[in-house]
């Protein structure tokens, strides 16, 4: 942005020049199978030019020009559409209609798809496209890119990646202390949920009573795409520090003491694969793997974070009219909290909950337990986006067919846990016989399956907020 | 076919019933990303039903019903086409047009593609689809199937397979005597060009002065898709028996004596992958591999069969008017041959060339050399199909950018060699610096690059046939 | 032997010259740890000279010279012995006596041990020594070598090999159709008991309901030292053709139908390792492996050949006085046999049993069953060498602690089976709880543990032969 | 030691009881090959009892009892010695003498060798014996054990380990960042010369321009026995911090810039293998490996610590008579140092050199350079133990045939480097053509091969000390 306009102009000209050279022309329909592949160098040029752009804004600019300038030829589409319509009216024989439709289909393929296709055949080409899509998504988030053309290009990329990263081509790999350091370093770095502090920390997470699995693509073994951490326990965990902080027994595992698998972290290691259905499939696959290793394992559940709850709650507190009766707290709760915090509760709570110190006050922790459990239950169960759960972790597990099973108070007392979700965590439980039914029901009728505990909390919330 | 009509009717009803159940419905456009995958059993039913059909005709019937009944919804296509045309006239904003085009694109996807997509995610699903396409191609060959719908389905399958078997996902594997017996057995069985006689025969073909490579998909290692056999020699071989019959030196290879790589056999091990560009890519990849192992290797050539030459020649002999002057032989040749065979040469040669005994007569071998070399040069160089070389092997190597380099007389004296191509073989030579140019030139202007020897033979033929 | 004396003399001089150069001098006791290893070439010379000797007699000659000329220095031994005795009488302090003993120990090491030691450190050196010992043993068998020096050298070699091929360094490998062809070829070639006919034969022996295991040394994986073939059955097999001839079910194994493991062939693949305890240990190890794979497997037994029985029986027939009452057959048996064979039974039986045609005569097979079972039981149970079972296979399994369990009539109808053991085979059964006890009892008190069936047959023999 | 006598007595009785039970009896000579192995449990008892002893003193006690009570039967030795002597006087035939010698040899085998032999066959048995010998050596160092019996037992163990860990059974493994974390952790922990600080430190030592190799036994891959670290440079390094501290270029290696291999650390990872010739062989093997990877590599040298130099120097300073003329420093050096340190130089230098602060004073560093280089040269070259170099690192490289090539001032400025060797390091250079000659010459005539630089420094020392 601080670059002089002249230099920027030069770069833009170089981009246009590159794209003109690198993006293969679309052969006419008749020759589509007889056209030799573009020279290797042609597409490799694009890869190295792109790799040479260091700033995300520059990459975004190039992607924008590619999306805008090398998409579908709308004239062609219109022409072929008209052809199809005309044939349809003439009720010609099937062969003619089918060919016209195929021409139309061909016309609807954006020209940049040819570039992506040929790049994918280069050494490391697919990996390059994954990174390119990660850049694209980042640029969308940063608002460096927007508009229908770029969304179309994202759709094209996502659909290509979905074909390549289809479940038939994924390998499940287990991580242990015998895995290459390279792999353990990658696993550590991609752990987004409960960050890995040091090497002893990761050694523990791959040691006894723990499992760590990832999917890799069969063409790039030892390269994690999506990672799942599991704790093997005797009951459904209600506290994450018990899993990631305390030393597990040094003794070898006693298989008989294991009845429960807790999925306590799932992370996408390749941001460019967002939206490609990997996590759901990984959980299914790991459940099968664990059932083979532990035939008597019966209970499967997540112990999941609730990102966004604190933020949502602060929003609720803000939107309450001062001096009006609170809809968030009962009268007695409000009194107790006012006493403890010594001020108008909406305001003081906003200050408290913006920090994490409150979690060290036994009294506050006790006083907030009931209202926050209730509010959080509502946040997870009642707040929606296009009819589905607003909270993305909830939405993920509910799509998989899990049940919203138990809210856990003070389940994550880490700084991150307290500040992002007031220390609350939730178990999504997988009843294997019913996940398919629940999944269909959630996706179809948008119905959330929840336990008694959760439903009780929700109805308490509803009762209170109606006052 | 001999089955009673009632039973046939029952089977057909079962097929309709199966397809109704197994082929997933296409979700409406808005829900296409929110629709849960069909239950695993749904698509697995199709796989097991299909597997239970033993006769190729039954399988063809099922495929035909799938292609006809579960293709594109033409009404939808017409509707969306009309929508696109209308928007185009209204010059609405890009977002609206792009979405309309995407709806049209979506409408153009045949419903059976969803079935194939979900089958591909099953364990062994991709392998199943490869076999299914092999059945489809066989049924087309046997005329059990035909029509535009089935050709469209073949196109859809081929394009899906092309994505999955893209070069980025193929592994080059070398076969040696240390490879698993399983692999060597598969390699032996799939050798179509020069059949493997026994285990010592295959041991030789993977031993010193020989290389055997194949591509496997990264998800199914040790499963050959396409296989290439190479002989490492000191000059361009003109005889196949020298390669596959004689014992190679038992001594370890002397790298210094190796200057030439002869590709003497390339076979597709999976008929269902026909048309998926594997062979061309394998040759390129093997050339790189050999250059790494033997930096001084400079000469690359095939030693190729000429399937169909005898058949073509017999056709030529038949179509000649009896008693007219032969256009195939010069007068002196005709005289000599008449003397040797003792009859009207067209007739007697047809008898001779239909068998393989003639190759044992030194006199006949000498007398036929000149005319057959000339005729064969013409067959390879001059006979065309849609402008490209009629002979499929020639077409393959010319597309790859090779030069039609040398015709070899009595190069394959095996029964198969004599009866299918009068003992002739041909070298297609790869000049690495020029293959890209030649390939483009052949594919574009249909020009065949040939050596002096070949061109001389061709012009002899032309001179003679003009008489 | 047909070589002219002059040439022979030249070779012998070359041998002496080589040994002088190649066998490292023994350092004086004080410098034994400070002496640098001989130059690599020095010992390598021996290896290449030896490898250049093609005839076994030449190799024997070299070994003989090495054993005679480079053994223990008897003078040194005597001197050190005298020193030890003197110290003993003086009752000197322990340190002095222990050092004297150590000097004596050092003096007792033959000089050629140094050669072997240094050869073992060369690339492929241990493998060379295994082959050298195989030559030595062959030369002993052929009487090309004899005498105490060579037996001492064999003892030295065997003890070195025993250290190196100790069980801690052996890997158990399983052979399947996925093993390298190299391995399957070696396994086939080393199968001494029931020769492998072709590749389908070996494929069957590594397929379902069969197991094939071998030990390799950890430094040379995929190189079989000793091989064990196992059939997995539902009862103790009484016929070998049922195992090696008939096709096993093509279906995958049904684990539930397997209750019994039959060891039907054990072969030493490296003759140079004779006497190094490999077979016993392999059987123990395989039993553990099978118990892990099939927890419910309970019955373990061999189905073993009885090499030497026919030979022994012919000897018995020969040594019988003509016209005297037979001690081998009962009167009624003798009558029946005389009738069937039409001659004096000792003579005619000798003729019959020297061939294998008799096994095709139902009558003879019936008539010989009782006497041959009885005689064979005695041969296995009663015939001894230094107090242990004369039959080497019996001795092997009894040492391992197996029970002589069942004699099987017409258990091996192959040419080899009929001619070497009249078609008889025997099961040695392993009762896992008792093998240790039985082994100790056999090795200590030379007592053979046998089943009722065997003991009955033995007592029938004894009763009859006492008549 | 603080244990009550009664408890100690109980433990000792338990030891005696264990040894009686666990140490196999030596079979009489005639039955030595027919004696079954002791029951597995018998020797396993010893292993688990020993493993249960936590204190090193207790282990030492058990080893002492084993060495004393289960050694050679001196009576037997005397008897067999007498037998040999008698036969020798009677000049009996060879066979008789050889057998008598063999009996004597057999009598000279200590009984505990049988225990070790059988333990070695247990799972993990060899590893156990390595640890047992490590304990034994530690106990010797701590003076918990001494005497000829224990030294004899150590000799027996060492000779057994030498057979097992013979070069033919060692695998060279290279460590990279793709090696298992397990391996990298072991490598880090066993680095004795330049301790590894953290994971980035070790990542650098296995990254570009570095090599790390180790030997493992073929039966226990991934278990380092002895480790060698190499830096790949353009000249002979004179400073260790340049190797282990500074970040190496992140770029991939440029092979052309590499002409020199610096062995900067060699560590025995298994103390129980002390004296088993591993390091020498590892260096030879790594040189071969590097020559294969870098055919143009020509210069090989160590950059070695000089442990003990400071200690020796302090000793020299102490033993100088006060007020006499210094033999360690020239008059002018003494004057300068006295000025700088402000006191009687022997005393003040002793204080200075006992610490490491002096290395931060530029003046002192300059003033001490000449005298300390000279003194250190003498320490390495002139100080001897039994005629060989006193300094163990020097002795190791000189035995290998290296040349004492260059003393480097301020080559290791770490705390450890300054305090143990006044910051000095030395290069031992390997001239590949001459190492064999040098090795023999050093081992035989005890002659040290040194460069001009070193010899000059030595002669300066001699000149000065003679004054």
């Amino acid at each position: 942005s601080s670059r002089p306009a002249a230099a920027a102009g030069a770069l833009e000209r170089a981009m246009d020049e590159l794209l003109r050279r690198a993006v293969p022309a679309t052969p006419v329909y008749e020759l589509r199978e007889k056209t030799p592949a573009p020279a290797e160098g042609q597409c490799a040029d694009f890869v190295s030019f792109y790799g040479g752009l260091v700033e995300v804004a520059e990459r975004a600019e190039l992607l924008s020009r590619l999306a805008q300038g090398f998409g579908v030829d709308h004239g062609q589409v219109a022409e072929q559409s008209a052809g199809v319509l005309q044939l349809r009216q003439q009720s010609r024989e099937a062969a003619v209609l089918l060919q016209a439709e195929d021409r139309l289909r061909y016309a609807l393929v954006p020209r940049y798809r040819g570039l992506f296709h040929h790049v994918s055949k280069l050494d490391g080409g697919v990996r390059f496209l994954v990174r390119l899509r990660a850049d694209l998504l980042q640029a969308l988030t940063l608002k460096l890119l927007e508009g229908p053309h770029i969304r179309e290009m994202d759709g094209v990329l996502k659909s290509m990646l979905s074909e390549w990263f289809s479940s038939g081509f994924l390998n499940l790999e287990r991580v242990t202390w015998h895995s290459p350091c390279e792999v353990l370093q990658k696993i550590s770095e991609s752990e987004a949920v409960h960050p890995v502090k040091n090497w002893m920390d990761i050694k523990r997470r791959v040691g006894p009573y723990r499992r760590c699995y990832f999917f890799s693509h069969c063409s790039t073994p030892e390269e994690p795409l999506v990672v799942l951490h599991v704790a093997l326990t005797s009951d459904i965990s209600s506290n994450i520090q018990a899993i990631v902080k305390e030393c597990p027994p040094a003794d070898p595992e006693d298989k008989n003491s294991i009845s429960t698998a807790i999925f306590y972290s799932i992370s996408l290691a390749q941001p460019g694969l967002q939206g490609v259905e990997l996590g759901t499939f990984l959980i299914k696959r790991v459940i099968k793997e664990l059932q083979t290793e532990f035939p008597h394992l019966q209970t499967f559940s997540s112990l999941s974070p609730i990102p966004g709850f604190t933020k949502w709650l602060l929003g609720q507190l803000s939107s309450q009219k001062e001096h009006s009766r609170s809809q968030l707290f009962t009268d007695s709760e409000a009194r107790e909290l006012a006493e403890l915090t010594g001020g108008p509760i909406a305001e003081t709570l906003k200050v408290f909950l913006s920090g994490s110190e409150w979690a060290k006050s036994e009294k506050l922790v006790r006083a907030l337990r009931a209202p926050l459990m209730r509010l959080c239950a509502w946040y997870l169960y009642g707040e929606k986006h296009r009819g589905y759960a607003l909270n993305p972790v909830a939405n993920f597990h509910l799509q998989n067919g899990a049940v919203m099973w138990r809210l856990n108070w003070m389940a994550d007392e880490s700084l991150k846990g307290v500040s992002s979700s007031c220390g609350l965590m939730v178990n999504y439980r997988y009843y294997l016989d019913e996940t398919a039914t629940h999944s269909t029901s959630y996706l179809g009728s948008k119905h959330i399956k929840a336990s008694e505990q959760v439903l009780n909390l929700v109805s308490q919330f509803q009762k209170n907020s109606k006052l």
Side-chain angles (χ1 to χ4, degrees), chain A:
Chain A
S1 54
S2 63
R3 217 158 14 138
L11 180 62
E12 281 155 18
R13 277 194 303 279
M15 285 182 182
D16 288 341
E17 165 57 26
L18 167 84
L19 293 176
R20 228 179 350 259
R21 200 173 62 241
V23 185
T26 303
V28 295
Y29 180 78
E30 285 74 14
L31 293 182
R32 68 198 185 288
E33 304 227 310
K34 279 290 180 190
T35 306
E40 259 194 32
Q42 190 177 330
C43 298
D45 271 3
F46 176 79
V47 171
S48 66
F49 186 99
Y50 185 89
L53 299 178
V54 179
E55 289 181 38
V56 62
E58 290 169 355
R59 296 185 167 195
E61 180 63 31
L62 183 62
L63 294 179
S64 172
R65 279 163 194 263
L66 180 62
Q68 299 266 359
F70 297 84
V72 160
D73 178 336
H74 302 298
Q76 265 294 315
V77 171
E79 192 179 312
Q80 301 301 336
S81 292
V84 163
L85 282 175
Q86 200 176 355
L87 283 173
R88 177 114 174 117
Q89 284 150 2
Q90 300 169 346
S91 27
R92 294 280 299 277
E93 53 189 297
V96 179
L97 181 62
L98 264 58
Q99 212 210 27
E101 285 178 349
D102 198 41
R103 281 173 178 276
L104 176 52
R105 200 182 278 125
Y106 187 69
L108 280 161
V109 177
R111 192 172 150 197
Y112 50 69
R113 199 189 189 284
L115 174 67
F116 296 154
H117 176 73
H118 288 296
V119 164
S120 82
K121 304 201 163 196
L122 299 176
D123 230 15
V126 170
R127 202 183 275 139
F128 171 82
L129 294 173
V130 172
R131 278 197 308 267
L132 184 143
R133 183 161 177 256
D135 292 345
L136 192 159
L137 292 173
Q138 192 195 3
L140 281 171
T141 305
L142 299 173
K143 311 273 186 208
L144 292 168
L145 281 180
E146 53 190 347
H149 290 96
I150 206 75
R151 281 198 305 275
E152 179 172 79
M153 193 162 88
D154 180 50
V156 167
L157 271 170
K158 186 178 139 187
S159 113
M160 295 178 90
L161 293 172
S162 295
E163 282 304 323
W164 295 328
F165 290 86
S166 164
S167 61
F169 305 144
L170 301 179
N171 290 332
L172 186 71
E173 301 193 32
R174 181 177 163 196
V175 186
T176 71
W177 197 239
H178 284 92
S179 302
C181 266
E182 183 83 41
V183 169
L184 279 143
Q185 197 184 3
K186 281 180 190 163
I187 293 288
S188 299
E189 288 168 0
S190 71
E191 169 57 42
V193 189
H194 306 290
V196 174
K197 278 169 209 113
N198 52 44
W199 281 90
M200 280 310 101
D201 191 357
I202 187 71
K203 186 172 182 183
R204 228 180 297 134
R205 297 191 197 186
V206 301
Y209 293 104
R210 296 292 178 272
R211 290 294 180 278
C212 175
Y213 295 98
F214 65 89
F215 271 142
S216 62
H217 191 269
C218 61
S219 67
T220 49
E222 303 195 348
E223 197 159 310
L225 305 175
V226 56
V227 186
L228 179 63
H229 290 271
V230 186
L232 301 171
T233 61
S234 54
D235 49 16
I236 297 185
S237 306
S238 61
N239 186 291
I240 189 65
Q241 271 76 37
I243 292 174
V244 300
K245 262 203 191 151
E246 285 174 25
C247 268
D251 303 324
E253 289 173 3
D254 171 11
K255 289 210 166 193
N256 294 321
S257 71
I258 294 173
S259 66
T260 304
I262 301 296
F263 309 126
Y264 68 91
S265 170
I266 181 161
S267 302
L268 189 66
Q270 300 284 351
L273 294 178
Q274 208 172 292
V276 176
E277 211 179 36
L278 295 170
T280 299
F281 186 62
L282 178 58
I283 287 182
K284 281 188 195 167
R285 191 72 184 66
V286 164
I287 287 174
K288 276 188 197 162
E289 193 74 11
L290 291 170
Q291 285 181 314
T292 307
E293 194 182 351
F294 303 95
H296 300 303
L297 200 61
Q298 285 186 328
T299 311
F300 297 87
S301 174
S302 79
L303 177 60
S304 301
I306 309 169
F309 171 56
T310 303
K311 202 176 157 194
W312 173 85
L313 184 55
L314 292 173
Q316 298 297 313
L317 289 169
S318 293
S319 63
Q320 289 213 21
K321 290 206 199 88
E322 204 56 52
H323 303 299
S324 77
R325 283 195 64 246
S326 170
Q327 293 185 317
L328 302 175
F329 303 97
T330 63
D331 289 351
S332 66
E333 285 168 1
R335 269 192 306 275
E336 185 183 359
L337 287 168
E339 221 162 277
L340 281 169
T341 61
I345 66 165
E347 285 315 302
T348 49
L349 275 182
K350 271 166 68 182
V351 173
F352 275 93
L353 297 179
S354 300
S356 64
E357 287 300 302
W358 65 270
K360 289 171 188 159
S361 151
E362 263 185 56
K363 285 183 184 170
L364 267 174
V365 164
R366 204 167 37 229
L368 286 168
R369 181 188 173 115
L372 262 57
M373 290 281 278
R374 198 170 66 221
L375 288 161
C376 188
W378 174 256
Y379 167 69
L380 289 174
Y381 185 87
E383 294 286 343
K384 300 290 170 62
H385 173 68
R386 298 195 187 170
Y388 297 105
L390 171 70
N391 181 271
V393 179
N395 188 44
F396 171 75
H397 288 291
L398 294 170
Q399 283 192 355
N400 295 345
V403 170
M404 194 177 280
W405 193 69
R406 189 176 67 196
L407 234 68
N408 303 293
W409 180 243
M410 282 300 120
D412 183 358
E413 297 166 86
S414 74
L415 180 60
K416 192 182 170 200
V418 171
S419 49
S420 76
S421 55
C422 302
L424 281 152
M425 297 189 82
V426 58
N427 301 115
Y428 301 101
R429 184 160 173 185
Y430 286 75
Y431 294 96
L432 303 188
D433 292 347
E434 301 171 11
T435 47
T437 324
H438 292 164
S439 172
T440 307
S441 147
Y442 178 69
L443 287 164
S445 62
K446 303 179 182 176
H447 174 74
I448 292 180
K449 188 89 186 173
S451 69
E452 286 291 300
Q453 187 229 29
V454 172
L455 293 177
N456 277 340
L457 289 167
V458 166
S459 80
Q460 285 170 30
F461 170 86
Q462 290 171 318
K463 218 180 303 169
N464 196 53
S465 66
K466 273 187 215 126
L467 292 181

